[in-house]
Amino acid sequence: MLKIQLYDTTLRDGAQRVGISFSVVDKLHIAQKLDELGIPFIEGGWPGSNPKDVEFFSKAQSLTFNNSLLVAFGSTRRPKTKAETDDNLLTLANAGVKVVTIVGKSSELQVTQVLETTLDENLSMIADSIRFIKAKGLTIFFDAEHFFDGFKANPGYALRCLVTAAEAGADCLVLCDTNGGTLPNEITIAVEAARGITNVPLGIHAHNDGELAVANTLAAVKAGVIQVQGTINGYGERCGNANLCSIIPDLKLKMDIDCITDEQLAKLTEISHYISETANLIPDAFSPYVGSSAFSHKGGFHVSGLAKWSESYQHIDPTRVGNQQRVVVSELSGKRNILYKAKEMGLDLPPRGREAQKLLEQVKLLESRGFQYDNAAASFELLVHRAKPDYQPPFELVDFMVVVERRRRPPTQKNLEEMLSEAMLKVRVGTEVIHTAAEGNGPVNALDQALRKTLLQFYPSLAQVRLVDYKVRILEESIGTESQVRVLIESSDGVEEWRTVGSSTNIIEASWLALADSLEYWLLKQKPSNSLAKS
Ligand SMILES: [Zn+2]
């Protein structure tokens, strides 16, 4: 069986994505997760380029890895200098790692236009740098930057760079599609040409500018590369790097290449989400394999097919990558979706019973009023619970009042005007009715504060719940400020996220409904500890 080496560069190339900034602690946590996933090589960063990466490599010494080796990244020596005195190479040699990757030019135009040196000097730079690191007893991978573009313009020179690196002792020659614009058939031709001139193992490092990074990587594997570089969630410069969250299951489940174990593969979804949370990015619901919608089914026809045969509308069993099948409830759905969804929640509604029919009618009615449950499964789950005759809500709203005021301040103060919001709330918990008031930086925030103030007295653990995202959508734009608005709220307790929905012609009421659902849902999940609201 073909042996493939996975090489992750989330911590170096992935961190180049606009909006990502990993702290040293983030990087250490991510490295541990990648070890759990069974990635043999983790590129930790470029210690020669910034002090944060130096700190990372020094702190990483205390980590224990079961599956991974850390790799330090850097570039070849500068033109017309000696490798022995090159600061960057010295830092790499002293980074405390066993494996080093060095990037060098392999495109004629990049050498003459960007590096501004001669083609021969570039070859010497590659050879000297590799020999220097190799002499320290380290494993060395050579990243041939712009290899595919260089190969197209001057194949002879691009291949000479590879031969030079191989002769200097490189352990792997990684062919880079640095600008990400190469097509899969061009990858195949260039990889085959490289195989023709050296026996040193080859690798692939693809970027996604033509949305082909995954396809190009698989084409390179087919053409004989051994090392596969990529990032979790495809994070990276510009449009990103090759996405390991797609490549790994493609290799394992479609190409029968055992790059990680089954148990490791089953952690893929969790690790993908963990790393996006650490990057402070919302996990992409539509990512293949690991997205929350990757195995979601909305059409009633599909759902009825799935109920008969689980493979009828999905390409793999989602549990293999740690994901799960979801059935989405919407006004398009039939009774079967409702039954399926209820079953998922552990509630068996009899298929011919009145409850399922009633629930479907209610969903349709609420959807006609602007609610939408596609993306608000927590609110749907509450609907199912509320349909049960013995349902006891953890709290109930009696009424509320919100005041929004614009105040003028004395002329001596900096901001002459300020907006104040205050909410007064009456809530029933068990047999008690509690009045509270709270201020907030807006009416919804004031309501949230007041509701929490009440509920925290009964359910102190509610302090873990925070609002992650708040979205307002106008449903009938033509009516202007009188139109129906839908509010979607995403909440988290640090472990799980859930979404709730509210809809009204009044934005505050819509927000209230989504907010109250969010807290009610969480309290319900905590049962039985919260079921006795102050007995
Ligand atoms: Zn790159």
Side-chain angles (χ1 to χ4, degrees), residues 9 12-14 16 43 73 143 145 176-179 205-207 229 231 236-238 240-241:
T9 177
R12 202 262 313 166
D13 231 358
Q16 297 300 319
E43 193 175 86
F73 179 90
D143 267 11
E145 197 192 28
C176 302
D177 187 21
T178 309
N179 294 359
H205 175 108
H207 278 263
Q229 298 198 352
T231 61
E237 192 108 43
R238 304 184 307 276
N241 283 56

Side-chain angles (χ1 to χ4, degrees), residues 102-103 144 175 188 205-206 219 226 250 307 318 356 368 378 394 438 470 486 490 531:
I102 281 190
V103 61
L175 314 179
T188 306
H205 175 108
I226 304 294
D250 281 343
S368 73
Y470 171 85
R486 179 193 300 143
E490 189 178 339
S531 62

